[in-house]
Amino acid sequence: MNVLGEIKKSLWNGRMAHAYILEAPAGETRDRLMTNILQEILCRNPNLEQRPCGLCEACRRVAAGSHEDVIYMKKSKLEEGKTKTNKVTYVMRDTEPFMDRLRLNPYGERNIGVIPDADDLKEDVQNRILKTLEEPYPGTVFFLVAENRNNLLPTIQSRCVLLRETEEPDVAETSALEEIWNQNYFFQYRKMVDKKIKTADDALKFLDVIEREAHKEHRLETVLRIEETRKDILGEFHMGGMNWKYALKRLFLEVRE
């Protein structure tokens, strides 16, 4: 998925979701991507194709971390938020200044609430945030930035659009993988999976391709099924992971049959 391209498309179509999970490894690359997303949303350049311009006042304020409509949730770093390994997590009192500011009208078009390192949200804190995700403040967009979305409650995940940067396969490879998924009958699909998908990595790349198509067509139930299949292959909930051929065949039967 081209994350910035997806945000741009949503803005152009007037279909911005009220909450997103940005899943990426922590570090400068993720921080820069989050900054670019914020600039894309808030840029004042009248030429939409040139956004984010990086030059307007809004883009400069985002880069400096001082834009008045970007509200970051911050850790209070109190003892109650420290784990046994001395890692600092979010605690309930961290939500109050964050939520209080989001209740106020934005200075511009919308408030954007950003939760960095959302993996560090305790369960009670997530439940507090969940209430706001269920009944979002008008004009507010949330971004939960995490290394692994599965550290977030399923109820949180179900109310957010997942953004994950993945390497784009070339056109020929994409067409070949789409051809597998577009088979009319299971026996045809099964034969092509056995012939053309040789490794678990190939299977994950195949899931990325069909997930992009499902997102484009707004088939959210299919996206959820694809995510479950990816978890099975990666072994999120199964020791050693599920056999990837079995997982792909089950996916077809669940979604296409």
Side-chain angles (χ1 to χ4, degrees):
M1 175 189 293
N2 181 327
V3 169
L4 204 57
E6 289 297 313
I7 292 293
K8 186 185 291 288
K9 189 189 305 177
S10 297
L11 284 168
W12 285 17
N13 294 335
R15 294 180 178 175
M16 280 289 293
H18 73 275
Y20 295 88
I21 295 172
L22 175 61
E23 184 184 58
E28 290 184 9
T29 299
R30 186 177 77 180
D31 293 344
R32 185 164 55 250
L33 177 58
M34 188 67 243
T35 295
N36 289 340
I37 290 172
L38 294 171
Q39 289 176 324
E40 177 70 47
I41 296 171
L42 296 168
C43 181
R44 307 311 300 165
N45 191 319
N47 188 332
L48 297 179
E49 294 185 358
Q50 293 180 4
R51 295 183 182 180
C53 68
L55 300 174
C56 68
E57 184 178 2
C59 283
R60 292 199 303 269
R61 286 187 179 181
V62 168
S66 60
H67 197 289
E68 59 274 16
D69 287 338
V70 180
I71 302 95
Y72 292 92
M73 187 166 165
K74 298 177 181 179
K75 299 175 185 175
S76 55
K77 300 183 180 179
L78 299 173
E79 285 299 318
E80 63 183 292
K82 290 184 179 180
T83 66
K84 293 180 180 179
T85 59
N86 219 32
K87 181 180 180 180
V88 178
T89 61
Y90 292 98
V91 295
M92 284 295 287
R93 70 180 66 188
D94 296 334
T95 66
E96 298 311 317
F98 180 66
M99 296 298 185
D100 287 346
R101 172 59 187 86
L102 288 173
R103 289 189 189 98
L104 301 177
N105 291 330
Y107 291 91
E109 293 181 3
R110 55 169 60 89
N111 283 324
I112 303 176
V114 181
I115 304 179
D117 301 319
D119 308 79
D120 297 339
L121 291 166
K122 287 187 172 182
E123 186 170 330
D124 60 339
V125 181
Q126 291 191 50
N127 282 319
R128 170 68 180 85
I129 293 168
L130 177 61
K131 295 178 182 178
T132 304
L133 295 181
E134 290 174 334
E135 299 179 9
Y137 307 126
T140 299
V141 179
F142 284 91
F143 285 92
L144 288 79
V145 186
E147 287 198 82
N148 184 348
R149 64 191 178 281
N150 292 317
N151 289 325
L152 299 170
L153 295 173
T155 46
I156 292 277
Q157 294 187 48
S158 68
R159 287 162 176 79
C160 299
V161 173
L162 175 65
L163 298 172
R164 185 178 67 245
E165 195 78 32
T166 56
E167 183 179 348
E168 295 281 345
D170 60 38
V171 174
E173 185 179 15
T174 297
S175 297
L177 293 174
E178 288 176 347
E179 182 185 3
I180 297 173
W181 183 246
N182 290 330
Q183 295 303 304
N184 291 323
Y185 301 104
F186 176 69
F187 77 89
Q188 296 171 322
Y189 172 79
R190 180 183 60 195
K191 185 176 180 179
M192 293 192 76
V193 166
D194 290 339
K195 182 179 180 180
K196 296 190 175 183
I197 301 182
K198 301 297 186 183
T199 66
D201 285 341
D202 289 344
L204 294 172
K205 189 178 293 184
F206 171 67
L207 292 179
D208 285 339
V209 168
I210 63 175
E211 184 179 28
R212 274 195 293 273
E213 291 305 307
H215 271 296
K216 289 177 184 177
E217 297 171 9
H218 304 289
R219 291 183 281 115
L220 297 183
E221 183 62 33
T222 300
V223 171
L224 291 175
R225 293 290 188 184
I226 292 170
E227 286 299 319
E228 289 172 4
T229 303
R230 182 180 285 106
K231 290 175 188 176
D232 288 337
I233 294 173
L234 291 173
E236 292 287 352
F237 303 116
H238 302 270
M239 286 298 294
M242 179 183 289
N243 177 278
W244 53 267
K245 284 191 177 181
Y246 174 82
L248 293 184
K249 292 168 185 176
R250 187 189 66 176
L251 174 65
F252 185 92
L253 291 173
E254 289 177 342
V255 174
R256 297 291 307 281
E257 289 289 296

